[in-house]
Amino acid sequence: PTQVNKLWTQKVPGLITDLSVSRDGSAILVAAAPNPDVEGSGFKHHLSRYDRHGKLLWRIELAGAVKSQALTDNGKFALVSTYENEVFALDSRGKKVWSIEATCKPIPLKHGFLCFHDDDAEPGVGFDLFNDQGKKTLIYPITRDILTMKVSDDGNFTAVALTGGQVVFFGPDFRVLWQKTVEGELVDLAVSSGKGPRVAALYNVAGSSQKAAIFDIQGSRIGVAPLPQHVEQLEIVPDGSG
């Protein structure tokens, strides 16, 4: 498009703390918290779901704040992690279908979801894999801190960054395909899709400079480039071409 057109706008009570959009655009999930600047507002922590036309479908109150949230590609389920040590799934009507005790960032997959331990709640675990019913099917143990985790656009490949410049790359069955170490501390990762996925790694090197490296599916470094200025994030297009 040559311009951006605003389709709709909605006023959400409280302070918006998170927002998720399903891949097909059918659902928008908004988390909000009480506004401390509005005395006696009565607003509580809550989740709201809108359709693609901005219509409010439901709003539910929560006991505590949302830590992280995500929608499945078709918007059928919402995955919500709270600071109350709970991860739960909501269906399209806002009904809770299952709940588990966990503190992590949920990442939806085609079947099930990843529970990325982006804090020190379980320092010896990098991530867990759960099925659609919220049952744990895999635990990935770690001996060093995990920094970030990225999943390819098609959901088939996953990469994690560990302290000490270590990159670990997983296949569709979460078997480790390769493990490499870059010459610095990792800042971010990105993973492409398809039969020949690539992993892009952003990392700091000595002297406050940065580099970006590209690895192929065998773990061979096929390119590396110094960056002219400080960067905090990188992404890769699904086919890996840029």
Side-chain angles (χ1 to χ4, degrees):
T2 57
Q3 62 183 12
V4 177
N5 299 311
K6 183 169 69 173
L7 300 179
W8 53 265
T9 182
Q10 285 285 3
K11 178 67 176 177
V12 179
L15 296 174
I16 295 176
T17 58
D18 208 343
L19 182 145
S20 303
V21 183
S22 64
R23 182 181 293 273
D24 65 2
S26 65
I28 298 94
L29 185 70
V30 180
N35 188 343
D37 296 329
V38 181
E39 186 176 353
S41 64
F43 296 143
K44 297 182 179 180
H45 295 281
H46 61 265
L47 281 170
S48 303
R49 177 171 171 142
Y50 300 86
D51 65 14
R52 67 172 70 248
H53 305 294
K55 179 183 178 182
L56 177 64
L57 300 179
W58 48 258
R59 178 171 290 147
I60 59 173
E61 291 186 355
L62 302 174
V66 170
K67 180 179 184 293
S68 183
Q69 64 180 46
L71 284 164
T72 55
D73 287 355
N74 58 8
K76 187 176 180 180
F77 293 101
L79 300 173
V80 182
S81 172
T82 73
Y83 287 101
E84 309 299 316
N85 193 37
E86 181 186 21
V87 177
F88 58 87
L90 299 172
D91 64 16
S92 58
R93 297 169 297 174
K95 180 181 178 182
K96 187 181 291 188
V97 292
W98 54 256
S99 173
I100 60 174
E101 287 189 11
T103 302
C104 64
K105 178 182 179 180
I107 303 174
L109 301 173
K110 292 178 180 178
H111 302 287
F113 71 99
L114 289 169
C115 202
F116 168 45
H117 292 262
D118 55 344
D119 52 31
D120 294 328
E122 292 187 64
V125 178
F127 64 87
D128 304 307
L129 180 65
F130 290 82
N131 62 17
D132 292 328
Q133 289 74 45
K135 183 177 180 179
K136 188 181 297 186
T137 58
L138 181 147
I139 298 174
Y140 179 67
I142 53 175
T143 56
R144 57 181 72 189
D145 290 341
I146 190 166
L147 302 173
T148 189
M149 179 178 194
K150 291 296 182 68
V151 180
S152 63
D153 196 61
D154 58 9
N156 289 330
F157 298 92
T158 304
V160 299
L162 304 174
T163 53
Q166 196 170 96
V167 183
V168 187
F169 187 51
F170 303 86
D173 56 357
F174 285 92
R175 179 175 57 87
V176 175
L177 297 181
W178 52 259
Q179 183 171 301
K180 299 292 178 179
T181 302
V182 298
E183 60 279 12
E185 284 295 339
L186 288 153
V187 177
D188 199 11
L189 297 174
V191 186
S192 68
S193 302
K195 295 181 179 179
R198 295 181 173 184
V199 177
L202 170 67
Y203 56 98
N204 297 325
V205 294
S208 301
S209 60
Q210 290 182 313
K211 290 183 178 180
I214 307 292
F215 298 89
D216 62 18
I217 191 172
Q218 283 82 33
S220 299
R221 188 179 302 202
I222 58 177
V224 61
L227 301 180
Q229 59 190 24
H230 183 77
V231 176
E232 295 184 354
Q233 178 182 340
L234 88 165
E235 301 294 337
I236 193 167
V237 294
D239 66 0
S241 62

